[in-house]
Amino acid sequence: MIIKPKLEWHETTSLKAPYIYWRDTLIVLYNPTKVFVVDAFREQLSKYAPPPQVSIFKYTYRIGQVDDENVKFLECIAGALQTRLKPLITRKYACKDILVEL
């Protein structure tokens, strides 16, 4: 199955309102020289804690909202983004028989 999600990106230096109330989002932590991590987060962003390895760096949050029909493929989209961005910390996303076009 091939999916073409529509992503809407927002950038912020800290998690604050209205972002802390969002659910089912993609989170990319980066600075101008490196992408640190790509996360798929299903709960409210107020519960999100960045990996401890990136706490020594200054970074920006890029928060992505996925269109409603593709929210169920959030982990697959995060895996495709991770492949494209090559972050410092990689996550394992189990995604079978789904190809994501970004």
Side-chain angles (χ1 to χ4, degrees), residues 2-101:
I2 298 173
I3 62 168
K4 296 179 184 177
K6 292 179 180 66
L7 300 172
E8 183 179 329
W9 292 102
H10 303 271
E11 292 187 18
T12 184
T13 55
S14 64
L15 290 178
K16 54 189 175 199
Y19 307 118
I20 59 172
Y21 302 111
W22 292 358
R23 294 178 175 266
D24 301 326
T25 57
L26 296 167
I27 304 167
V28 179
L29 299 180
Y30 73 98
N31 68 17
T33 60
K34 185 68 179 160
V35 174
F36 297 113
V37 68
V38 175
D39 278 329
F41 201 68
R42 294 263 181 204
E43 297 180 37
Q44 281 189 343
L45 283 179
S46 61
K47 297 179 182 178
Y48 179 76
Q53 300 95 319
V54 301
S55 63
I56 60 172
F57 299 103
K58 274 192 131 172
Y59 54 83
T60 301
Y61 293 88
R62 182 175 289 162
I63 304 167
Q65 290 184 304
V66 182
D67 56 325
D68 291 337
E69 63 190 43
N70 291 314
V71 165
K72 59 187 172 192
F73 303 115
L74 191 65
E75 287 78 14
C76 298
I77 298 167
L81 271 174
Q82 180 172 272
T83 303
R84 178 182 262 187
L85 297 176
K86 297 175 181 56
L88 186 63
I89 300 167
T90 57
R91 308 275 194 214
K92 294 194 188 276
Y93 294 109
C95 194
K96 297 180 181 178
D97 302 327
I98 297 174
L99 179 65
V100 178
E101 280 190 23

